[in-house]
Amino acid sequence: MTRRTEWPGSDAEPAPDSGAGPDYGTGSGGGFGEGAGRRARSRSRSSGSPSSSRAEKGEPRDPVEQARNICLRLLTGTPRTRKQLADALRKREIPDEAAEEVLSRFEDVGLIDDAAFADAWVESRHHGRGLARRALVRELRTKGVDSAVIDEAIGQLDSEQEEETARELVARKLRSTRGLDRDRRLRRLAGMLARKGYGEGMALRVVRQALEVEGEDTEGLEEPF
């Protein structure tokens, strides 16, 4: 027995009944097939309204919520000062009232803590990079930390610890200056300490003592350079 499949505009002869329906997955007729499927999916994705698009992107309209989200992203994995966050909110054109509300709230719950930031900065930058107190003060000021908070954080370092760090820096650099004349070694080593914020007197003393250990004649190096 045969069954006639009536397709619009078709004069095809009857086909044997195989028990299966028309193949919509691979044919090109009727707008079906792989290309049509991609077009349908594309239309589905692009048919959303502007409001749904903004929601999908996670862009809140409330400036307070925007400020909160910005601050949380910036604080993820990296502590920041209140000034750094305030500058970021201003750059993103968050209204001052909304920014102040969020920043104050973050301070209240401890997400912003300039004192803790300064303590950690001094610890990390002194032991990790060998920076002296003067350089640390300069860096913390650029990050907007209050002077009183800076003074308290810098108080972690005394002059003896600072000088010991300077000696370690010179000892690591000393080998690379071998073969140079004394004055060039002096300038290179003292310049390295100066860039890290060490004072002239301490730098001269530490470098002179290191050169003496290597047998250099340091006579005449007592005067500031």
Side-chain angles (χ1 to χ4, degrees), residues 102-150:
V102 170
L103 293 174
S104 296
R105 177 58 180 162
F106 274 36
E107 278 189 326
D108 290 341
V109 299
L111 290 175
I112 299 175
D113 188 338
D114 282 4
F117 177 94
D119 288 343
W121 188 266
V122 169
E123 176 73 15
S124 172
R125 299 287 282 175
H126 178 73
H127 293 289
R129 297 288 302 279
L131 299 188
R133 287 175 291 184
R134 184 166 58 184
L136 293 168
V137 168
R138 184 167 56 247
E139 289 186 342
L140 288 171
R141 282 177 178 166
T142 64
K143 297 183 180 300
V145 180
D146 183 76
S147 295
V149 175
I150 293 176

Side-chain angles (χ1 to χ4, degrees), residues 182-183 208 211-212 214-221:
R182 185 199 67 177
D183 290 343
R208 179 177 57 80
L211 292 177
E212 285 177 350
E214 292 222 329
E216 289 278 11
D217 179 10
T218 60
E219 184 178 358
L221 293 182

Side-chain angles (χ1 to χ4, degrees), residues 80-110:
R80 298 177 190 268
T81 66
R82 178 175 177 129
K83 182 181 183 300
Q84 286 177 304
L85 293 173
D87 290 344
L89 295 178
R90 190 175 301 111
K91 184 177 180 180
R92 290 164 174 79
E93 299 181 349
I94 299 298
D96 291 343
E97 297 80 2
E100 181 64 26
E101 178 180 339
V102 170
L103 293 174
S104 296
R105 177 58 180 162
F106 274 36
E107 278 189 326
D108 290 341
V109 299

